[in-house]
Amino acid sequence: MRKLFLLLGGVVLIAMQALAQQRIITGKVTDEKGNPVANVSVLVRGTTSGTTSKVDGTYSLEIPANAKALVFSSVDMSPVEMSIGAGNEVNATLKNEDRTMSEVVVTAFGIKRDKKTLGYGVSQVSAEELTRSHTTNITNSLAAKVPGVRVQGSGGSFTSSSILIRGFTTFSGSNQPLFVVDGIPIDNSGGGSPLQAGPSVSSRAIDINQEDIESMSVLKGAAAAVLYGSRAASGVILITTKKGKSGQKNSVQFSSNYQIESVNRTPDYQNEYAQGNSGVFSPVAQTSWGPRITGQTVNNAYNPANDLFDRTEVLAAYPNNVTDILQQGINWQNNLAFSGGNDKNMFRFSYGYLRNTGVIAKNVLTRHNFSLNTSSKVNNYLTVSVSANYVNNYSTRTQQGNQLSNPFFRGWFTPRSYDLTGLAFEDAVGNQRYPLGEDNPYWTIKHNRFNDEINRFIGNVSFNFKLTKWLQADYKIGTDVYSTFRHGYDQIGARGGANTSALQVGGIRENRNNYRSINSNGYFTVNKRYKSWTGTAIVGSEFQQIYSNAAQIDGKNIIIRDFEQISNTTTFSPAPSYGSSKSRLLGIYGDFSIGYKSIFNVGVTLRNDFSSTFKPDKNSYLYTGYSGSVNITELFPGIKGKIIENIKIRGNYATVGKAGNDFIYSTDSYFGGAGSSDGFGPQITFPFNGIQGFSLSNGAGSADLGPEFTGNKEIALELSLFKGRFTIEATRYQQKSRKLIFGVPVSATSGITSVTKNAGNLSNNGVEVGVTATPIKSKSFTWSMNITYTQFKAIVEKLETGVSNIFLGGFTTPNVRLVVGDEYGQLYGNAYQRDPSKGNKIIVGANGLPLITTGVQKIGNPNPKWVGGLTNTFTYKGLSLEVLLEYRSGGDLYSRNIADLQRNGVAIETAEFPRYDAAGVLQTPYLFDAVYANGQPNTTMVSAQNYFGNNGKYAAAEGFIYKTTWFRVREASINYTVPSSVLRKTPFGSASLSVFGRNLFLSAPDYPHLDPEQNALGVSNAQGLEFNALPQTRTIGVGLKLSF
Amino acid sequence: MKLNFFKIALAFTGVVALGSCKKMLDINKDPDRISDSNSPITQLLTSAQVNIGFTAGSDLYRNTTLIIQQMSGGASQPNQTYEYGRYNITGSDLNNLWSSIYATTLSDLELIIKNGGASPHFVGVAKILKAFTFHQIVDTWGDVPYSATQQLSANTQPAYDDDATIYPKLITLLAEAVTDMNAGASALSPGVASVMYTNLVWATARPFWIKLANTLRLRLLIHYSKRDPAFCVAQITALVNTPGITFMTSNADSYQMTFYNIANQRNSISAFEVSRPNYLFADRKMVEMMNAKADPRRATYFTLFPYIDFVPFALNTSAASTGNTLTYSSVTGVVVGATVTGAGIPPHTIVKTIVGNVITVNDDETPGYALPAIAAGTSITFQQVYRTVSAAKIPLAPNNNYSRIHTFLRGALTTAPVGTNSGVYSGAALQRLLPYAEYCFIRAEAALMGAPGSAQTFFTDGITASMTEAGVSGPNITTYLTANGTLTGTNAQRLQQIIEEKYIALFGVSGEPWADWRRTGYPALTPAVNGITSAIPRTFFYPQSEIDLNPSNPGQKAASLQDRVFWDN
């Protein structure tokens, strides 16, 4: 792709050429067989002047007097450099390129390696692939594009997304990969969603501007990631940003993308029955089990004008009363970049502006990205590069989670006959006007506010010393510094928890967080060739320090409405809190590989980490990786032919030790603030009558805490057929994570209730397959495909004796837990009692309604069986069409939303049968397929309200487990590149237009009403719960790209 | 030039790699918390004391007051208190109690004892509190871990001790405590920061603590009365004859904790009433014992029902009764819930509904309740009573129309009750842990068995102390004593009098009335009709967490809950 641009650039540059010429060179370009090759780019080395060869392979080019050589390059052919002699003729012979030979990928520390010689899996995603649908959070752009990587959004357009590279490697710590930007690890924390209060916030990868990304490499498995050490146990995402290029003409690039965003799926509602209960209209009922709407007049309807029930109204359904809350979101991204360079200095500066308004009012994100990359060749030995990125990210958000201030907590099931859009929701002062128990959706959107602002700097300085031809030294020091300021305002009269759980009296929360990491990395690289042998060695050391502090204050009892200052409150409860933490990590590493021709390659990687999060006698730990690859086709050249181009087998075994910050300060025990409470609500908080108390924390640390280890064995086959038009890369791996750290519960009689220990084991087996195919390829038309397949299964092998499970998140029922012998993160909840002697049928009581288990049991598995992606790309001259299809097989989700739609009688299926006959007699059309306690078949028919209601289907969490199997058109784009012939007379070097979309089509046959891509707990390890979250969206946009 | 850069680069990586690596990495101490090598004994004592005070009104209190029929969870099934009242207290229900006692209260006390060597005054107080806490654990579960506990991560599966061997250790511990507290030098002493005997300098507080240590020894010794009466009498005799020994002498010496009318600083019994209204009501057993003696403490112990200010009055019916309805010419003043009394009307008859001038009456506990025939013109009285739930009679339908805990355990009434809503209380109530009245009853019982002192005098003192505490006026105390204050009959009858008075006096004291019942069988209790066991529990299940996590556990108790602690044999 890059070559295509070079070529294009070449074409354009001829037109722009305006230099005084000294001399004209002519010549002919041929292939190995002597046939002329057209459209070959011919450039003067180190400059931007050039031309292309004609159909007969000839070219003619004016060159400056100081020109030394010409560079010939073409798609699918290896570039050739020819020096310019005294004569005026320079001919060149281009070889057909062995595609797999030259596929260069970025590996650890940004080292570019020939993929053919790698013993481990690295997948690279180009900028074009990433920015196809211009998502706000870069993580979403990875969905279905890389085999072995599973991306799961949590709803809304700028919240968070979980990325899992090859599944799970730890229990209670983070399973999210390490993000490295230009060699500096950056923070991607955040993105957890609160269950009971506050909004859902972004994971910090959102601060990255995709338009600044040149490429993204995904390092999968321990062998690929081992050089990054402790933080890389869950894989690494390496981001290389765009830079100025040597010899590139100074240019300006501008791009603008405008998208509209809408909710892709909304519930199907019934509009036949009114607000009420048991067929009787009630203006205060939460439910829509009221009378059939026949145009009757009802008394005592709610009157917002006086907050009384003194109105009469003609009963009517308001089919759009819920969807009216939603709006169309806008996502506008503008980017401006200047770049250029000569032999010595290169630069790129860019400014990006993004504004994303959500599908619910008051959800707005504004982001400014400034980025500067420069590189200077100081002399023949030293190159100094500087990279600086500044991000300002400001957003406002609405409430989320299981709380009455979430506009969609009950908003989704607003009574069908309540005119939510038309009736006032507040009086002149701003007092809430709503007859139901929760916050009116419009009122909470308007009044329960939240905003956060992030100011972030990511930068580095790097020195590259070319000491000899075969030895170079690199040193890089970088930092990631950010501060966040979060501010929540809960209006007087808020009925839900909102930000501060002030309950009616109003509250303000301010939260400030500072994060600073410093990373210093120096290493030597040796590249030696001896006859057919090549050897590379990297030896170096890395140091990292992470410091953060956070302060939070909650003020309650707002004095003056809407004055959002903490001093506008009278009580500060809980007491203001402050906390800080600092950790350091030192790593010494070596990476050695040796190869013979292209036939085989073996590598050994060692890294010894010293982590401050362990005691001095435990803080040093060594781990190693071994990898090897054999190129069968090079070994037996005879099998190479028309069909087989290349066969490579690679395998590796590697271990990564993990320290991380998840268990910082867990080597000691501490005293915490005292307190008393029981399970019924009463509690004592300190200071008690002005007297402070401390108590030894019930969670003890252990001095012998050490790193977690994840070992990975993998074997892969890489196949290239039909001259590279069909390739397969299939990998099978086994991962074993051991010594996993968690708080192991112990007998309270010891004086503590848990000890943080290395106690658990986890295994993970998976397969990932990537296929590329180019079924049609002609001069003007190409059809290519890219298929990814990701499958893994993580099993909890061991917890400590006496520990039957670990709670990952959720409620008493349902919740997500780790259970020995079962897959990671299973859903537990109460279930229907069943009769095993009667085919496991549900047991009902005499009333025909199901009996419920008293305890919780396994009710679902949120892990999909596999996920796959298929990208089809069609290009016809300057026009290209790309479509990414995504399929996800299985994976359960508990949907509280669907549960609520049904039990409150608003879902369309609750009116499938008439609830009452013409005479108004209650109908009982439903029958649970069940038996009575005595084993006799259930014959007790029940009404819709009983069937779907609190004592019916809703009574057990089991009833709302849905398979999320989906097929979706994840992304599609049409891109038109304006031909250079058109641009010749304009100031533009290049121009392209695109139309694109995301989530254009969804089919989720087992999941009704909503998009199943949801997770109430955001990026946390607990997946599989949906709790009235922000809905998923579909975007459609247009884009323009110009350079001049 | 290039060499310089090279050197700098080397220096950067080299220093980091080889330099003061150890020091650089030794930063794993949380700057925001106190590490365990630095025990803040003053604050630990506060934590332990507050937890003792809180726990005394929490799970253990509720469970025992329910099974001993002072309170009832009767009406509101399927609430937890309803289940506890029928002895359905599972192991899982006790996890929180067990861990807060062992991992918070005892853990903090042990740290004071271990690390407070230079401050014997602190150690002494901690030992009293440890003995107090442990005897409650033993009285509840019998064999429990004692010797091997509190070693933190060094031993996470402590062995169990025979309960009979723990008691002597606690008595010794109390003797040591007195010696420690009498030490001349102590780096730190619990002063005004103690939340028990609070706001006193150590010199003033010390005598109280010493009296407590000695009085607590009496409580432990009296528990031996059933197993070994001779030992019990001999030990108590020896103790009270010890020269210089001091015991509690007035209500001012009572061991109790003060709570405040501030959010999250309220008495836990009162706080429970707020967070869980309709979980606890007056039990008929205790109220009928008090009714029989027209006990004036009822006025502060329980609310009348209905709650509103209501003067009893009588009305003449205007028509003969039909079904369960009474008809009047006017029902002004009658409220739903009022108790209806009159010739032939069954007890516990209350007003259910008032429609126009017709009153429906019923009794929630009697299936097919029917009014006898009442002629027109009959005078019927409407009044407030201490309306109770009976363990022997389960209400037919859940309802909340009963008397509740009043100011004695909840503090001052700050908002008067309205309708069927009980009032708002300050929550600034004492949590009584070992009141002076209990000392008097222990001495009365001991004297009855032959120990020094006059049983009658101590009996009178105990009732007087309890009445005074409950706000009863002097003349009313005298009236009560005149009617009920004389020990008469056989020793068994006298013992019954003492223990039944103690049962009333220890309203709100966690666990002790249950221990007295197990020792003496008084007051005589009828097991709950809907109980899941046929007899009243004599122990509790071990917490489920302990069964799961401690292999040293001897195994779960028998489902009958009739396993006995050592002094109950």
Side-chain angles (χ1 to χ4, degrees), chain A residues 14-139:
Chain A
I14 306 166
M16 303 295 293
Q17 197 172 309
L19 281 167
Q21 307 303 328
Q22 304 292 324
R23 180 176 171 197
I24 295 174
I25 300 285
T26 56
K28 188 175 180 185
V29 186
T30 53
D31 65 12
E32 292 155 290
K33 289 168 189 161
N35 298 323
V37 186
N39 291 322
V40 172
S41 147
V42 185
L43 282 178
V44 178
R45 190 180 70 189
T47 73
T48 52
S49 359
T51 183
T52 49
S53 59
K54 294 175 192 154
V55 182
D56 62 359
T58 61
Y59 74 95
S60 163
L61 178 64
E62 284 178 291
I63 59 162
N66 60 351
K68 299 244 162 59
L70 295 180
V71 179
F72 298 83
S73 59
S74 174
V75 178
D76 285 354
M77 303 191 107
S78 302
V80 163
E81 196 176 300
M82 305 293 289
S83 55
I84 303 166
N88 286 340
E89 185 176 337
V90 177
N91 295 323
T93 303
L94 263 58
K95 284 185 182 170
N96 272 317
E97 185 178 307
D98 183 346
R99 267 173 40 91
T100 52
M101 271 293 285
S102 66
E103 198 180 337
V104 169
V105 290
V106 178
T107 66
F109 297 157
I111 296 160
K112 287 181 180 142
R113 292 274 302 263
D114 180 352
K115 201 174 177 210
K116 200 174 181 181
T117 68
L118 284 182
Y120 46 81
V122 174
S123 295
Q124 196 154 320
V125 185
S126 70
E128 290 75 31
E129 285 174 272
L130 277 176
T131 57
R132 197 183 292 147
S133 66
H134 305 280
T135 59
T136 299
N137 196 335
I138 185 76
T139 51

Side-chain angles (χ1 to χ4, degrees), chain A residues 378-379 381-382 384 463 465 467 473-475 477 520-524 541-543 578-586 588 610-616 619 663-672 674-698 700-701 745-753 755 757 801-803, chain B residues 1-2 5-6 9-10 12-14 16-17 21-40 42-44 46-47 50-51 54 58-59 62 80 84 96 98-99 102-104 107-108 111 145 148-153 155-158 192-195 198-199 257-260 262-266 268 271-272 275-276 279 546 548-550:
Chain A
V378 176
N379 54 36
Y381 303 102
L382 174 63
V384 180
F463 304 89
F465 306 88
L467 299 171
D474 284 274
Y475 178 73
I477 183 158
S520 151
N521 191 8
Y523 55 93
F524 294 95
S541 86
E542 188 189 18
F543 172 75
Y578 171 84
S580 69
S581 74
K582 187 190 270 183
S583 70
R584 290 181 177 143
L585 182 80
L586 169 67
I588 300 171
F610 303 85
S611 168
S612 74
T613 56
F614 306 124
K615 288 276 180 194
N619 72 5
F663 298 98
I664 191 168
Y665 304 139
S666 294
T667 51
D668 292 278
S669 301
Y670 293 91
F671 292 99
S676 310
S677 66
D678 63 21
F680 291 90
Q683 58 172 345
I684 301 288
T685 53
F686 280 80
F688 181 79
N689 190 34
I691 301 170
Q692 192 50 278
F694 288 126
S695 177
L696 184 68
S697 295
N698 283 346
V746 297
S747 165
T749 60
S750 59
I752 48 178
T753 55
V755 185
K757 286 208 281 196
T801 318
V803 182
Chain B
M1 182 67 184
K2 69 176 180 189
F5 271 108
F6 181 52
L10 259 188
F12 261 103
T13 58
V16 164
C21 165
K22 277 234 160 83
K23 224 171 163 184
M24 270 186 46
L25 293 173
D26 195 12
I27 56 166
N28 203 32
K29 284 268 182 222
D30 192 334
D32 305 318
R33 287 184 293 169
I34 306 159
S35 108
D36 64 349
S37 53
N38 186 18
S39 291
T42 305
Q43 285 71 31
L44 283 171
T46 319
S47 167
V50 169
N51 272 285
F54 179 85
S58 181
D59 301 277
R62 279 191 294 274
Q80 286 96 328
Y84 301 163
N96 184 58
W98 181 269
S99 76
Y102 268 109
T104 301
S107 151
D108 291 344
L111 282 166
T149 60
Q150 304 304 335
Q151 296 172 32
L152 308 179
S153 12
N155 181 3
T156 54
Q157 299 172 349
V192 292
S194 169
V195 300
T198 191
N199 281 327
M257 203 176 120
T258 309
F259 286 85
Y260 304 91
I262 300 170
N264 297 326
Q265 297 188 24
R266 296 193 170 93
S268 45
F272 181 84
S275 65
R276 301 291 171 129
Y279 270 53
E546 191 61 10
D548 293 343
L549 299 170
N550 193 351

